[in-house]
């Protein structure tokens, strides 16, 4: 079997091959049977950040859901997190912190007052692996 792209771990005739992609990629394998007939197959590998963004939070909650932030299995650097209201006004911004620390996220305040309940948009720049960033976007519901 011939694997494309090669990743340095291939061996002649191996029918299994491991990839650890850092970005989306296509992998193709070519095999020949005993009579020399060729078969080719491809698969698309999609890499998605393993980062969770809750879609609802309540600053008045007493159950640990008082802040909006991003979560992940292991701490991931967040270069920037910005929250916007439905008119596009920035209501929160914080830079250079990590996932999994709720107190570093948005507490539902804007200009020292409680922000109105409703749907907001977040944009976050995170570092998936050293030197590789991704921009995550989504909406959140602030519930009081």
């Amino acid at each position: 079997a011939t694997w494309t792209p090669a990743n340095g771990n291939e061996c002649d005739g191996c029918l299994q091959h491991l990839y650890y992609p850092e970005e989306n990629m296509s992998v193709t394998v070519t095999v020949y049977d005993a009579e020399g007939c060729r078969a080719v197959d491809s698969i698309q590998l999609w890499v998605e950040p393993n980062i969770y963004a809750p879609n609802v939070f309540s600053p008045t909650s007493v159950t640990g859901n008082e802040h909006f932030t991003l979560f992940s299995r292991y701490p991931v650097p967040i270069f920037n997190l910005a929250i916007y209201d439905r008119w596009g006004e920035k209501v929160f911004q914080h830079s250079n912190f990590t996932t999994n620390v709720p107190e570093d996220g948005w507490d539902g305040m804007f200009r020292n007052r409680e922000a109105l309940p409703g749907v907001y948009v977040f944009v976050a720049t995170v570092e998936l692996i050293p030197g590789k960033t991704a921009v995550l976007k989504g909406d959140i519901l602030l519930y009081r």
Side-chain angles (χ1 to χ4, degrees):
T2 304
W3 297 86
T4 307
N7 69 357
N9 296 330
E10 61 281 336
C11 63
D12 292 335
C14 288
L15 297 179
Q16 294 182 357
H17 203 66
L18 296 177
Y19 283 90
Y20 301 97
E22 296 175 358
E23 56 189 25
N24 297 342
M25 65 184 295
S26 179
V27 176
T28 303
V29 63
T30 305
V31 295
Y32 294 90
D33 67 12
E35 283 86 42
C37 294
R38 178 176 162 238
V40 177
D41 199 5
S42 294
I43 187 170
Q44 182 71 29
L45 303 178
W46 296 96
V47 177
E48 295 187 24
N50 191 15
I51 297 174
Y52 170 68
N55 59 358
V56 177
F57 83 107
S58 177
T60 57
S61 171
V62 293
T63 60
N65 194 26
E66 301 89 17
H67 294 81
F68 170 80
T69 195
L70 302 175
F71 295 92
S72 58
R73 184 176 209 177
Y74 303 104
V76 172
I78 301 174
F79 292 138
N80 189 58
L81 171 63
I83 311 285
Y84 299 90
D85 66 16
R86 65 190 212 181
W87 297 280
E89 184 172 11
K90 188 184 301 179
V91 298
F92 174 81
Q93 182 169 352
H94 188 62
S95 300
N96 301 316
F97 62 107
T98 63
T99 57
N100 306 330
V101 183
E103 296 76 21
D104 284 340
W106 185 37
D107 63 1
M109 299 297 286
F110 178 52
R111 295 184 181 154
N112 297 319
R113 296 173 51 183
E114 293 182 350
L116 295 174
V119 177
Y120 292 80
V121 173
F122 77 89
V123 179
T125 303
V126 299
E127 184 176 47
L128 302 177
I129 59 172
K132 182 74 173 177
T133 61
V135 176
L136 307 176
K137 301 175 184 178
D139 56 77
I140 51 175
L141 174 64
L142 185 155
Y143 176 78
R144 295 198 186 271

